[in-house]
Amino acid sequence: MSIRPIYLDSHATTPVDERVLAAMLPYFIEKFGNPSSISHIYGWEAEAAVKQTREILAAAINATPEEIVFTSGATEANNLAIKGVAEAYFQKGQHIITVATEHKAVLDPCAYLKTLGFEITILPVQKDGLIDLTELEKAFRPETILVSVMAANNEIGVLQPLEAIGEMCRDRNIIFHTDAAQAIGKIPLDVQTLKIDLMSLTAHKVYGPKGIGALYVRRRNPRVQLAPQQHGGGHERGMRSGTLYTPQIVGFGKAVEIALAEQATENPRLRSLRQRLWEQLSPLEGIHLNGHPTQRLAGNLNISIEGVDGAALGLGLQPVMAVSSGSACTSANTAPSHVLTALGNSEQLAYASVRFGIGRFTTQEEIDTVAKHAIATIQSLRKQTTLV
Ligand SMILES: *Cc1c(COP(=O)(O)O)cnc(C)c1O
């Protein structure tokens, strides 16, 4: 096998942990039953496995198992949350508040609702990527039905002040949704103390399989109504029809279980690797850290680099490291990152940016190799520009 670049793109996806795969395997061939089959053991054992994951997820966020609705991932969970609330509550009001740095899977459903006549307020962020709570305060209207603010940002790792936002929404009887795709298993999440009503989750950012996620839907104080976005056999209490994908669900549960068990040791390890990388890169001139220095995911480092061309930088890094660079973020999309421009970066700096996503299998040696190569690439690109 040829030498593959060092993987530092953990916000895009993560490999399945071997322990997760081992837990999933029996559910493909031996225990292949449909969890909805109530008249034989094949169904019962699949149902028991699904129930176990529901319990793990519920415990992870301090919810109850009945409040977990399985989906194909966080994109679907966000769509179900946002469009489902809009459709269920439009007679109460037609105003939704979200934030400029949200994932497209939140911004695009909001944009879609706008075409149907809903009004959407998109809050700006401060230079550090955090929302300004006084801006949120000003945005509330009597007809606001939903606030959607992510837990952890997928580009800059910034952690929004969920507890304060939850408090403000609860005081006004407004539903609070959070996209926690990057947060589950990485930071503590308690839907009671944070006053969260809807929470989107996914497995593949936390060493689980792709194609499985969930939406937490609060059942009491208040009971959230959702209009289903996929109709069929009435699975998931009518909120999301479709035969449950047992192997993926088992993997999701195992992945979250492992992440929670290891969170206390893994976060300091990731933080020290990030610090090691930053200490090597930051002495270079013209390197800017994007996002709040401490209120962010332990494994995230996002920098903008002055005096280099974004596309050339991406190409220069590629042979050694798999990172996400500003010039190649949303594949077919050549616009600069909407997150980095929302922080006030110029287009040039947004392009000349690198997101390092340090993960469970990243080693110190890899960090040192990456730092060395990144520095050499930046220096050689800068030399070329001054020669021209
Ligand atoms: C990855 C991600 C998503 C999309 O999740 P999928 O499970 O891949 O659909 C949504 N929001 C955030 C913040 C993400 O990081």
Side-chain angles (χ1 to χ4, degrees), residues 11-12 72-76 78 103 105 150 152 154 179 181-182 202 204-205 212:
H11 305 294
S72 62
T75 299
E76 190 192 333
N78 286 341
H103 193 275
M150 73 204 316
N154 49 298
D179 174 352
Q182 296 286 345
T202 192
H204 76 98
K205 311 276 174 76
I212 188 72

Side-chain angles (χ1 to χ4, degrees), residues 13-344:
T13 195
T14 55
V16 170
D17 190 296
E18 281 181 22
R19 295 166 289 180
V20 169
L21 179 63
M24 291 170 67
L25 285 176
Y27 292 91
F28 285 100
I29 295 177
E30 302 157 53
K31 304 184 181 181
F32 62 88
N34 185 330
S36 300
S37 302
I38 53 167
S39 43
H40 51 70
I41 179 124
Y42 297 90
W44 301 334
E45 65 195 4
E47 165 56 17
V50 167
K51 181 164 175 270
Q52 195 186 357
T53 293
R54 257 190 235 289
E55 286 165 357
I56 294 168
L57 295 181
I61 62 170
N62 196 16
T64 62
E66 302 73 41
E67 294 175 310
I68 303 296
V69 173
F70 289 110
T71 65
S72 62
T75 299
E76 190 192 333
N78 286 341
N79 273 269
L80 176 57
I82 294 166
K83 296 193 283 197
V85 163
E87 210 178 313
Y89 291 87
F90 75 98
Q91 282 169 321
K92 182 175 177 232
Q94 302 188 12
H95 177 237
I96 293 171
I97 301 172
T98 187
V99 182
T101 50
E102 292 293 311
H103 193 275
K104 293 289 184 192
V106 164
L107 294 175
D108 286 0
C110 288
Y112 166 72
L113 288 173
K114 197 171 172 195
T115 69
L116 302 184
F118 284 82
E119 289 189 68
I120 314 292
T121 297
I122 298 179
L123 296 175
V125 292
Q126 305 171 104
K127 267 204 89 63
D128 59 9
L130 292 169
I131 68 162
D132 180 346
L133 293 171
T134 60
E135 293 284 337
L136 174 60
E137 181 89 47
K138 282 191 273 175
F140 286 122
R141 301 184 198 165
E143 61 273 19
T144 308
I145 52 172
L146 177 70
V147 169
S148 182
V149 180
M150 73 204 316
N153 186 272
N154 49 298
E155 289 191 37
I156 53 177
V158 160
L159 310 176
Q160 295 292 356
L162 298 184
E163 190 163 5
I165 300 166
E167 187 84 49
M168 290 164 79
C169 292
R170 187 63 58 82
D171 284 349
R172 293 165 177 80
N173 278 317
I174 295 167
I175 296 168
F176 177 30
H177 165 250
T178 191
D179 174 352
Q182 296 286 345
I184 181 73
K186 309 203 178 112
I187 59 166
L189 290 171
D190 181 325
V191 296
Q192 308 311 336
T193 58
L194 302 174
K195 299 188 168 66
I196 290 163
D197 302 313
L198 295 163
M199 183 191 283
S200 300
L201 305 173
T202 192
H204 76 98
K205 311 276 174 76
V206 64
Y207 311 93
K210 293 168 187 56
I212 188 72
L215 181 66
Y216 155 74
V217 184
R218 179 176 285 281
R219 287 241 282 175
R220 50 184 73 82
N221 311 315
R223 182 186 182 91
V224 174
Q225 308 290 331
L226 277 189
Q229 301 300 304
Q230 177 159 305
H231 304 86
H235 307 79
E236 300 301 86
R237 295 184 293 118
M239 280 187 271
R240 201 280 192 177
S241 288
T243 300
L244 291 173
Y245 195 1
T246 314
Q248 308 301 95
I249 290 173
V250 168
F252 191 6
K254 191 69 184 173
V256 169
E257 190 176 76
I258 294 169
L260 289 185
E262 298 180 352
Q263 195 172 286
T265 50
E266 182 65 354
N267 274 340
R269 192 188 74 87
L270 293 173
R271 216 170 274 127
S272 90
L273 289 178
R274 177 182 66 202
Q275 187 60 17
R276 194 177 175 94
L277 183 54
W278 178 238
E279 275 166 11
Q280 293 178 73
L281 296 176
S282 56
L284 281 183
E285 242 176 85
I287 303 280
H288 305 275
L289 176 70
N290 289 314
H292 194 281
T294 54
Q295 200 167 322
R296 66 195 295 149
L297 292 170
N300 175 281
L301 182 69
N302 189 313
I303 58 170
S304 285
I305 302 147
E306 278 176 31
V308 300
D309 171 65
L313 176 68
L315 281 175
L317 298 178
Q318 224 171 58
V320 172
M321 65 195 82
V323 289
S324 168
S325 59
S327 58
C329 38
T330 352
S331 52
N333 184 352
T334 49
S337 153
H338 71 282
V339 173
L340 298 184
T341 48
L343 301 188

